Amino acid sequence: MKKLFPLIWSFFVLASLVISYSFITPNDTSTSAIEEEDVASIKWYSWTEAVKLNKKNPKKIFVDVYTDWCGWCKKMDQSTFKDPKIVKYLNEHYYPIKLDAEMKEDIVFNGHTFKFVKNGRRGYHQLAASLLDNKLSFPSFVALNEDIHRITIIPGYQKSNDLILMLQYFEEEKYKTMTYQEYVK
């Protein structure tokens, strides 16, 4: 009997686990849940895509200049850029671009080829440097008008409530008649 006890005990534990798991319902992974997740994300464009779309249907352009190693960039991706009001506003009123400041691919714009420039261990992309006036700090954001002229550079991490006001300020073209400080009052 002593030799059978471990076998009987193992059978009892296994039977209990099987019965317990039979009452657990699986998570719903229907397409509607997946579609909701897709709707709740920013449609990021490449530089080339946004410029092409802008020719057909002019909108302002929002450029997120980032690097893969930037912790604050990742934090914005996980918080600010997941906020439903930011997602909705950017998708409706802007062509949002994610621009890796260290990307290796060339970008041709306005007859000029912007390239990656090796500098030390890393390097930088000439378009990112041009957009940021060679002040390469990350994250940084650039607002461009419909003619793809820079409105402003926004350096540093931005919380949702701050960023939405900035996006509205530029989209509504209030920057032409008042300062940002006047706008937020």
Side-chain angles (χ1 to χ4, degrees):
M1 186 68 163
K2 286 184 181 181
K3 290 182 182 182
L4 288 178
F5 182 75
L7 183 61
I8 294 170
W9 179 251
S10 298
F11 176 77
F12 176 76
V13 170
L14 181 61
S16 298
L17 288 173
V18 169
I19 291 169
S20 297
Y21 280 105
S22 68
F23 290 104
I24 296 174
T25 57
N27 290 337
D28 181 20
T29 57
S30 66
T31 55
S32 62
I34 293 168
E35 288 169 6
E36 286 177 25
E37 187 177 307
D38 289 343
V39 171
S41 64
I42 295 171
K43 169 63 175 131
W44 294 105
Y45 296 96
S46 70
W47 180 268
T48 306
E49 290 171 326
V51 168
K52 188 176 180 179
L53 288 168
N54 190 57
K55 286 180 183 175
K56 293 179 185 175
N57 180 28
K59 285 186 189 182
K60 293 196 174 34
I61 295 174
F62 175 85
V63 185
D64 172 15
V65 185
Y66 74 97
T67 63
D68 289 336
W69 50 263
C70 168
W72 287 108
C73 301
K74 292 174 186 175
K75 183 173 171 109
M76 281 206 63
D77 286 340
Q78 294 305 314
S79 59
T80 306
F81 292 140
K82 296 280 187 199
D83 185 315
K85 65 185 174 211
I86 298 293
V87 170
K88 185 176 192 292
Y89 203 84
L90 275 173
N91 286 339
E92 287 180 10
H93 299 284
Y94 287 82
Y95 291 117
I97 296 172
K98 275 227 175 263
L99 182 66
D100 182 353
E102 297 177 339
M103 69 185 285
K104 306 286 193 274
E105 298 83 23
D106 292 353
I107 294 177
V108 178
F109 176 65
N110 279 349
H112 181 76
T113 302
F114 294 90
K115 299 179 170 288
F116 175 78
V117 176
K118 183 89 172 124
N119 187 15
R121 289 185 10 220
R122 290 195 171 101
Y124 63 91
H125 198 276
Q126 291 174 328
L127 181 58
S130 176
L131 288 169
L132 299 176
D133 286 339
N134 291 315
K135 297 175 185 154
L136 297 172
S137 67
F138 311 106
S140 286
F141 311 96
V142 180
L144 304 169
N145 67 15
E146 294 83 353
D147 295 324
I148 313 179
H149 294 124
R150 186 177 57 210
I151 300 169
T152 194
I153 300 169
I154 306 164
Y157 176 84
Q158 302 297 319
K159 293 181 182 175
S160 297
N161 292 336
D162 297 330
L163 185 59
I164 195 73
L165 286 172
M166 291 179 212
L167 292 171
Q168 292 166 341
Y169 174 70
F170 300 123
E171 197 278 324
E172 295 169 3
E173 299 192 346
K174 299 294 185 181
Y175 64 92
K176 292 180 177 181
T177 59
M178 65 176 63
T179 67
Y180 181 70
Q181 288 75 18
E182 293 169 333
Y183 177 76
V184 295
K185 285 184 181 178

PDB file of all heavy atoms in Angstrom, residues 108-135:
ATOM      1  N   VAL A 108      14.975  61.205 -50.170  1.00  0.00           N
ATOM      2  CA  VAL A 108      15.064  62.257 -51.184  1.00  0.00           C
ATOM      3  C   VAL A 108      13.865  63.175 -50.986  1.00  0.00           C
ATOM      4  O   VAL A 108      12.714  62.731 -50.953  1.00  0.00           O
ATOM      5  CB  VAL A 108      15.064  61.667 -52.609  1.00  0.00           C
ATOM      6  CG1 VAL A 108      15.099  62.781 -53.649  1.00  0.00           C
ATOM      7  CG2 VAL A 108      16.235  60.712 -52.799  1.00  0.00           C
ATOM      8  N   PHE A 109      14.150  64.469 -50.827  1.00  0.00           N
ATOM      9  CA  PHE A 109      13.095  65.464 -50.631  1.00  0.00           C
ATOM     10  C   PHE A 109      13.532  66.792 -51.228  1.00  0.00           C
ATOM     11  O   PHE A 109      14.647  67.253 -50.978  1.00  0.00           O
ATOM     12  CB  PHE A 109      12.795  65.613 -49.129  1.00  0.00           C
ATOM     13  CG  PHE A 109      11.792  66.669 -48.823  1.00  0.00           C
ATOM     14  CD1 PHE A 109      10.475  66.549 -49.252  1.00  0.00           C
ATOM     15  CD2 PHE A 109      12.142  67.805 -48.125  1.00  0.00           C
ATOM     16  CE1 PHE A 109       9.542  67.526 -48.980  1.00  0.00           C
ATOM     17  CE2 PHE A 109      11.226  68.791 -47.838  1.00  0.00           C
ATOM     18  CZ  PHE A 109       9.918  68.651 -48.273  1.00  0.00           C
ATOM     19  N   ASN A 110      12.666  67.372 -52.023  1.00  0.00           N
ATOM     20  CA  ASN A 110      12.933  68.667 -52.669  1.00  0.00           C
ATOM     21  C   ASN A 110      14.265  68.686 -53.419  1.00  0.00           C
ATOM     22  O   ASN A 110      15.025  69.647 -53.333  1.00  0.00           O
ATOM     23  CB  ASN A 110      12.895  69.813 -51.650  1.00  0.00           C
ATOM     24  CG  ASN A 110      11.490  70.256 -51.338  1.00  0.00           C
ATOM     25  OD1 ASN A 110      10.538  69.863 -52.001  1.00  0.00           O
ATOM     26  ND2 ASN A 110      11.351  71.080 -50.323  1.00  0.00           N
ATOM     27  N   GLY A 111      14.551  67.596 -54.117  1.00  0.00           N
ATOM     28  CA  GLY A 111      15.762  67.531 -54.924  1.00  0.00           C
ATOM     29  C   GLY A 111      17.044  67.310 -54.149  1.00  0.00           C
ATOM     30  O   GLY A 111      18.138  67.378 -54.711  1.00  0.00           O
ATOM     31  N   HIS A 112      16.938  67.059 -52.855  1.00  0.00           N
ATOM     32  CA  HIS A 112      18.125  66.833 -52.032  1.00  0.00           C
ATOM     33  C   HIS A 112      18.050  65.426 -51.435  1.00  0.00           C
ATOM     34  O   HIS A 112      16.996  64.993 -50.997  1.00  0.00           O
ATOM     35  CB  HIS A 112      18.207  67.870 -50.903  1.00  0.00           C
ATOM     36  CG  HIS A 112      19.415  67.721 -50.040  1.00  0.00           C
ATOM     37  ND1 HIS A 112      20.673  68.118 -50.439  1.00  0.00           N
ATOM     38  CD2 HIS A 112      19.567  67.186 -48.801  1.00  0.00           C
ATOM     39  CE1 HIS A 112      21.541  67.836 -49.479  1.00  0.00           C
ATOM     40  NE2 HIS A 112      20.892  67.275 -48.473  1.00  0.00           N
ATOM     41  N   THR A 113      19.168  64.743 -51.403  1.00  0.00           N
ATOM     42  CA  THR A 113      19.236  63.417 -50.794  1.00  0.00           C
ATOM     43  C   THR A 113      19.823  63.551 -49.391  1.00  0.00           C
ATOM     44  O   THR A 113      20.968  63.982 -49.234  1.00  0.00           O
ATOM     45  CB  THR A 113      20.088  62.457 -51.638  1.00  0.00           C
ATOM     46  OG1 THR A 113      19.521  62.379 -52.950  1.00  0.00           O
ATOM     47  CG2 THR A 113      20.116  61.065 -51.015  1.00  0.00           C
ATOM     48  N   PHE A 114      19.010  63.195 -48.398  1.00  0.00           N
ATOM     49  CA  PHE A 114      19.451  63.209 -47.004  1.00  0.00           C
ATOM     50  C   PHE A 114      19.973  61.823 -46.668  1.00  0.00           C
ATOM     51  O   PHE A 114      19.313  60.826 -46.917  1.00  0.00           O
ATOM     52  CB  PHE A 114      18.275  63.579 -46.081  1.00  0.00           C
ATOM     53  CG  PHE A 114      17.784  64.985 -46.282  1.00  0.00           C
ATOM     54  CD1 PHE A 114      16.783  65.249 -47.206  1.00  0.00           C
ATOM     55  CD2 PHE A 114      18.310  66.035 -45.550  1.00  0.00           C
ATOM     56  CE1 PHE A 114      16.315  66.547 -47.398  1.00  0.00           C
ATOM     57  CE2 PHE A 114      17.854  67.333 -45.729  1.00  0.00           C
ATOM     58  CZ  PHE A 114      16.854  67.587 -46.656  1.00  0.00           C
ATOM     59  N   LYS A 115      21.152  61.779 -46.068  1.00  0.00           N
ATOM     60  CA  LYS A 115      21.835  60.514 -45.810  1.00  0.00           C
ATOM     61  C   LYS A 115      22.163  60.339 -44.329  1.00  0.00           C
ATOM     62  O   LYS A 115      22.105  61.285 -43.564  1.00  0.00           O
ATOM     63  CB  LYS A 115      23.148  60.461 -46.603  1.00  0.00           C
ATOM     64  CG  LYS A 115      22.981  60.540 -48.094  1.00  0.00           C
ATOM     65  CD  LYS A 115      24.338  60.508 -48.780  1.00  0.00           C
ATOM     66  CE  LYS A 115      24.204  60.338 -50.259  1.00  0.00           C
ATOM     67  NZ  LYS A 115      23.781  59.030 -50.665  1.00  0.00           N
ATOM     68  N   PHE A 116      22.550  59.127 -44.009  1.00  0.00           N
ATOM     69  CA  PHE A 116      23.080  58.827 -42.688  1.00  0.00           C
ATOM     70  C   PHE A 116      24.528  59.288 -42.653  1.00  0.00           C
ATOM     71  O   PHE A 116      25.295  59.072 -43.595  1.00  0.00           O
ATOM     72  CB  PHE A 116      23.001  57.326 -42.407  1.00  0.00           C
ATOM     73  CG  PHE A 116      23.642  56.930 -41.114  1.00  0.00           C
ATOM     74  CD1 PHE A 116      22.999  57.140 -39.905  1.00  0.00           C
ATOM     75  CD2 PHE A 116      24.904  56.357 -41.100  1.00  0.00           C
ATOM     76  CE1 PHE A 116      23.596  56.778 -38.705  1.00  0.00           C
ATOM     77  CE2 PHE A 116      25.512  55.986 -39.903  1.00  0.00           C
ATOM     78  CZ  PHE A 116      24.852  56.208 -38.707  1.00  0.00           C
ATOM     79  N   VAL A 117      24.912  59.927 -41.552  1.00  0.00           N
ATOM     80  CA  VAL A 117      26.283  60.395 -41.368  1.00  0.00           C
ATOM     81  C   VAL A 117      26.871  59.666 -40.160  1.00  0.00           C
ATOM     82  O   VAL A 117      26.359  59.791 -39.049  1.00  0.00           O
ATOM     83  CB  VAL A 117      26.327  61.921 -41.134  1.00  0.00           C
ATOM     84  CG1 VAL A 117      27.748  62.385 -40.847  1.00  0.00           C
ATOM     85  CG2 VAL A 117      25.735  62.669 -42.312  1.00  0.00           C
ATOM     86  N   LYS A 118      27.915  58.900 -40.398  1.00  0.00           N
ATOM     87  CA  LYS A 118      28.593  58.187 -39.304  1.00  0.00           C
ATOM     88  C   LYS A 118      29.287  59.216 -38.426  1.00  0.00           C
ATOM     89  O   LYS A 118      29.981  60.117 -38.912  1.00  0.00           O
ATOM     90  CB  LYS A 118      29.607  57.203 -39.893  1.00  0.00           C
ATOM     91  CG  LYS A 118      30.314  56.364 -38.875  1.00  0.00           C
ATOM     92  CD  LYS A 118      29.549  55.095 -38.577  1.00  0.00           C
ATOM     93  CE  LYS A 118      30.373  54.182 -37.702  1.00  0.00           C
ATOM     94  NZ  LYS A 118      29.694  53.814 -36.481  1.00  0.00           N
ATOM     95  N   ASN A 119      29.073  59.098 -37.114  1.00  0.00           N
ATOM     96  CA  ASN A 119      29.673  60.050 -36.181  1.00  0.00           C
ATOM     97  C   ASN A 119      29.936  59.309 -34.875  1.00  0.00           C
ATOM     98  O   ASN A 119      29.000  59.004 -34.135  1.00  0.00           O
ATOM     99  CB  ASN A 119      28.736  61.235 -35.957  1.00  0.00           C
ATOM    100  CG  ASN A 119      29.362  62.326 -35.132  1.00  0.00           C
ATOM    101  OD1 ASN A 119      30.566  62.368 -34.939  1.00  0.00           O
ATOM    102  ND2 ASN A 119      28.529  63.217 -34.617  1.00  0.00           N
ATOM    103  N   GLY A 120      31.178  58.977 -34.603  1.00  0.00           N
ATOM    104  CA  GLY A 120      31.496  58.209 -33.399  1.00  0.00           C
ATOM    105  C   GLY A 120      30.969  56.791 -33.514  1.00  0.00           C
ATOM    106  O   GLY A 120      31.024  56.179 -34.572  1.00  0.00           O
ATOM    107  N   ARG A 121      30.431  56.281 -32.416  1.00  0.00           N
ATOM    108  CA  ARG A 121      29.891  54.915 -32.403  1.00  0.00           C
ATOM    109  C   ARG A 121      28.587  54.807 -33.170  1.00  0.00           C
ATOM    110  O   ARG A 121      28.217  53.752 -33.643  1.00  0.00           O
ATOM    111  CB  ARG A 121      29.659  54.451 -30.968  1.00  0.00           C
ATOM    112  CG  ARG A 121      30.933  54.179 -30.218  1.00  0.00           C
ATOM    113  CD  ARG A 121      30.728  53.604 -28.824  1.00  0.00           C
ATOM    114  NE  ARG A 121      29.374  53.202 -28.524  1.00  0.00           N
ATOM    115  CZ  ARG A 121      28.775  53.398 -27.367  1.00  0.00           C
ATOM    116  NH1 ARG A 121      29.398  54.020 -26.400  1.00  0.00           N
ATOM    117  NH2 ARG A 121      27.552  52.981 -27.161  1.00  0.00           N
ATOM    118  N   ARG A 122      27.868  55.900 -33.262  1.00  0.00           N
ATOM    119  CA  ARG A 122      26.561  55.862 -33.898  1.00  0.00           C
ATOM    120  C   ARG A 122      26.574  56.708 -35.165  1.00  0.00           C
ATOM    121  O   ARG A 122      27.163  56.352 -36.142  1.00  0.00           O
ATOM    122  CB  ARG A 122      25.488  56.340 -32.927  1.00  0.00           C
ATOM    123  CG  ARG A 122      25.238  55.355 -31.798  1.00  0.00           C
ATOM    124  CD  ARG A 122      23.941  55.679 -31.091  1.00  0.00           C
ATOM    125  NE  ARG A 122      23.600  54.628 -30.154  1.00  0.00           N
ATOM    126  CZ  ARG A 122      23.787  54.699 -28.863  1.00  0.00           C
ATOM    127  NH1 ARG A 122      24.309  55.774 -28.322  1.00  0.00           N
ATOM    128  NH2 ARG A 122      23.437  53.701 -28.083  1.00  0.00           N
ATOM    129  N   GLY A 123      25.865  57.790 -35.121  1.00  0.00           N
ATOM    130  CA  GLY A 123      25.730  58.678 -36.260  1.00  0.00           C
ATOM    131  C   GLY A 123      24.354  59.313 -36.235  1.00  0.00           C
ATOM    132  O   GLY A 123      23.594  59.168 -35.271  1.00  0.00           O
ATOM    133  N   TYR A 124      24.004  60.006 -37.299  1.00  0.00           N
ATOM    134  CA  TYR A 124      22.711  60.674 -37.366  1.00  0.00           C
ATOM    135  C   TYR A 124      22.268  60.770 -38.813  1.00  0.00           C
ATOM    136  O   TYR A 124      23.064  60.677 -39.747  1.00  0.00           O
ATOM    137  CB  TYR A 124      22.786  62.062 -36.737  1.00  0.00           C
ATOM    138  CG  TYR A 124      23.725  62.998 -37.449  1.00  0.00           C
ATOM    139  CD1 TYR A 124      23.278  63.828 -38.483  1.00  0.00           C
ATOM    140  CD2 TYR A 124      25.077  63.038 -37.122  1.00  0.00           C
ATOM    141  CE1 TYR A 124      24.151  64.670 -39.155  1.00  0.00           C
ATOM    142  CE2 TYR A 124      25.950  63.886 -37.792  1.00  0.00           C
ATOM    143  CZ  TYR A 124      25.477  64.695 -38.808  1.00  0.00           C
ATOM    144  OH  TYR A 124      26.330  65.523 -39.477  1.00  0.00           O
ATOM    145  N   HIS A 125      20.978  60.963 -38.985  1.00  0.00           N
ATOM    146  CA  HIS A 125      20.427  61.149 -40.322  1.00  0.00           C
ATOM    147  C   HIS A 125      20.341  62.645 -40.593  1.00  0.00           C
ATOM    148  O   HIS A 125      19.900  63.417 -39.742  1.00  0.00           O
ATOM    149  CB  HIS A 125      19.051  60.490 -40.430  1.00  0.00           C
ATOM    150  CG  HIS A 125      18.642  60.275 -41.842  1.00  0.00           C
ATOM    151  ND1 HIS A 125      18.041  61.256 -42.597  1.00  0.00           N
ATOM    152  CD2 HIS A 125      18.774  59.193 -42.653  1.00  0.00           C
ATOM    153  CE1 HIS A 125      17.813  60.787 -43.804  1.00  0.00           C
ATOM    154  NE2 HIS A 125      18.248  59.537 -43.870  1.00  0.00           N
ATOM    155  N   GLN A 126      20.755  63.048 -41.777  1.00  0.00           N
ATOM    156  CA  GLN A 126      20.780  64.467 -42.130  1.00  0.00           C
ATOM    157  C   GLN A 126      19.400  65.116 -42.078  1.00  0.00           C
ATOM    158  O   GLN A 126      19.293  66.288 -41.718  1.00  0.00           O
ATOM    159  CB  GLN A 126      21.379  64.658 -43.525  1.00  0.00           C
ATOM    160  CG  GLN A 126      22.851  64.356 -43.599  1.00  0.00           C
ATOM    161  CD  GLN A 126      23.374  64.410 -45.023  1.00  0.00           C
ATOM    162  OE1 GLN A 126      22.666  64.089 -45.984  1.00  0.00           O
ATOM    163  NE2 GLN A 126      24.632  64.826 -45.165  1.00  0.00           N
ATOM    164  N   LEU A 127      18.336  64.386 -42.418  1.00  0.00           N
ATOM    165  CA  LEU A 127      16.991  64.978 -42.364  1.00  0.00           C
ATOM    166  C   LEU A 127      16.614  65.305 -40.925  1.00  0.00           C
ATOM    167  O   LEU A 127      16.080  66.382 -40.648  1.00  0.00           O
ATOM    168  CB  LEU A 127      15.950  64.062 -43.005  1.00  0.00           C
ATOM    169  CG  LEU A 127      14.517  64.610 -43.024  1.00  0.00           C
ATOM    170  CD1 LEU A 127      14.441  65.952 -43.751  1.00  0.00           C
ATOM    171  CD2 LEU A 127      13.565  63.610 -43.653  1.00  0.00           C
ATOM    172  N   ALA A 128      16.902  64.400 -40.002  1.00  0.00           N
ATOM    173  CA  ALA A 128      16.617  64.663 -38.583  1.00  0.00           C
ATOM    174  C   ALA A 128      17.397  65.888 -38.114  1.00  0.00           C
ATOM    175  O   ALA A 128      16.837  66.768 -37.446  1.00  0.00           O
ATOM    176  CB  ALA A 128      16.968  63.446 -37.736  1.00  0.00           C
ATOM    177  N   ALA A 129      18.669  65.965 -38.469  1.00  0.00           N
ATOM    178  CA  ALA A 129      19.494  67.107 -38.069  1.00  0.00           C
ATOM    179  C   ALA A 129      18.952  68.399 -38.663  1.00  0.00           C
ATOM    180  O   ALA A 129      18.896  69.430 -37.987  1.00  0.00           O
ATOM    181  CB  ALA A 129      20.944  66.880 -38.494  1.00  0.00           C
ATOM    182  N   SER A 130      18.523  68.343 -39.906  1.00  0.00           N
ATOM    183  CA  SER A 130      17.977  69.523 -40.569  1.00  0.00           C
ATOM    184  C   SER A 130      16.681  69.983 -39.905  1.00  0.00           C
ATOM    185  O   SER A 130      16.499  71.173 -39.633  1.00  0.00           O
ATOM    186  CB  SER A 130      17.737  69.219 -42.051  1.00  0.00           C
ATOM    187  OG  SER A 130      17.125  70.308 -42.692  1.00  0.00           O
ATOM    188  N   LEU A 131      15.793  69.048 -39.633  1.00  0.00           N
ATOM    189  CA  LEU A 131      14.512  69.388 -38.994  1.00  0.00           C
ATOM    190  C   LEU A 131      14.711  69.979 -37.603  1.00  0.00           C
ATOM    191  O   LEU A 131      13.945  70.835 -37.169  1.00  0.00           O
ATOM    192  CB  LEU A 131      13.613  68.152 -38.899  1.00  0.00           C
ATOM    193  CG  LEU A 131      13.012  67.653 -40.204  1.00  0.00           C
ATOM    194  CD1 LEU A 131      12.367  66.288 -39.996  1.00  0.00           C
ATOM    195  CD2 LEU A 131      11.995  68.652 -40.756  1.00  0.00           C
ATOM    196  N   LEU A 132      15.736  69.515 -36.897  1.00  0.00           N
ATOM    197  CA  LEU A 132      15.974  69.933 -35.514  1.00  0.00           C
ATOM    198  C   LEU A 132      17.055  71.005 -35.384  1.00  0.00           C
ATOM    199  O   LEU A 132      17.540  71.270 -34.280  1.00  0.00           O
ATOM    200  CB  LEU A 132      16.354  68.719 -34.658  1.00  0.00           C
ATOM    201  CG  LEU A 132      15.311  67.611 -34.559  1.00  0.00           C
ATOM    202  CD1 LEU A 132      15.855  66.425 -33.769  1.00  0.00           C
ATOM    203  CD2 LEU A 132      14.020  68.123 -33.939  1.00  0.00           C
ATOM    204  N   ASP A 133      17.445  71.638 -36.478  1.00  0.00           N
ATOM    205  CA  ASP A 133      18.500  72.656 -36.455  1.00  0.00           C
ATOM    206  C   ASP A 133      19.780  72.134 -35.810  1.00  0.00           C
ATOM    207  O   ASP A 133      20.446  72.837 -35.046  1.00  0.00           O
ATOM    208  CB  ASP A 133      18.038  73.926 -35.735  1.00  0.00           C
ATOM    209  CG  ASP A 133      17.063  74.750 -36.556  1.00  0.00           C
ATOM    210  OD1 ASP A 133      17.032  74.587 -37.792  1.00  0.00           O
ATOM    211  OD2 ASP A 133      16.336  75.557 -35.954  1.00  0.00           O
ATOM    212  N   ASN A 134      20.104  70.885 -36.075  1.00  0.00           N
ATOM    213  CA  ASN A 134      21.308  70.217 -35.551  1.00  0.00           C
ATOM    214  C   ASN A 134      21.329  70.085 -34.027  1.00  0.00           C
ATOM    215  O   ASN A 134      22.379  69.824 -33.455  1.00  0.00           O
ATOM    216  CB  ASN A 134      22.580  70.908 -36.044  1.00  0.00           C
ATOM    217  CG  ASN A 134      22.782  70.697 -37.524  1.00  0.00           C
ATOM    218  OD1 ASN A 134      22.629  69.588 -38.025  1.00  0.00           O
ATOM    219  ND2 ASN A 134      23.084  71.766 -38.233  1.00  0.00           N
ATOM    220  N   LYS A 135      20.197  70.277 -33.363  1.00  0.00           N
ATOM    221  CA  LYS A 135      20.095  70.068 -31.911  1.00  0.00           C
ATOM    222  C   LYS A 135      19.453  68.707 -31.693  1.00  0.00           C
ATOM    223  O   LYS A 135      18.252  68.603 -31.502  1.00  0.00           O
ATOM    224  CB  LYS A 135      19.286  71.188 -31.268  1.00  0.00           C
ATOM    225  CG  LYS A 135      19.950  72.540 -31.420  1.00  0.00           C
ATOM    226  CD  LYS A 135      19.084  73.644 -30.899  1.00  0.00           C
ATOM    227  CE  LYS A 135      19.768  74.976 -31.189  1.00  0.00           C
ATOM    228  NZ  LYS A 135      18.830  76.063 -31.293  1.00  0.00           N
TER     229      LYS A 135
END
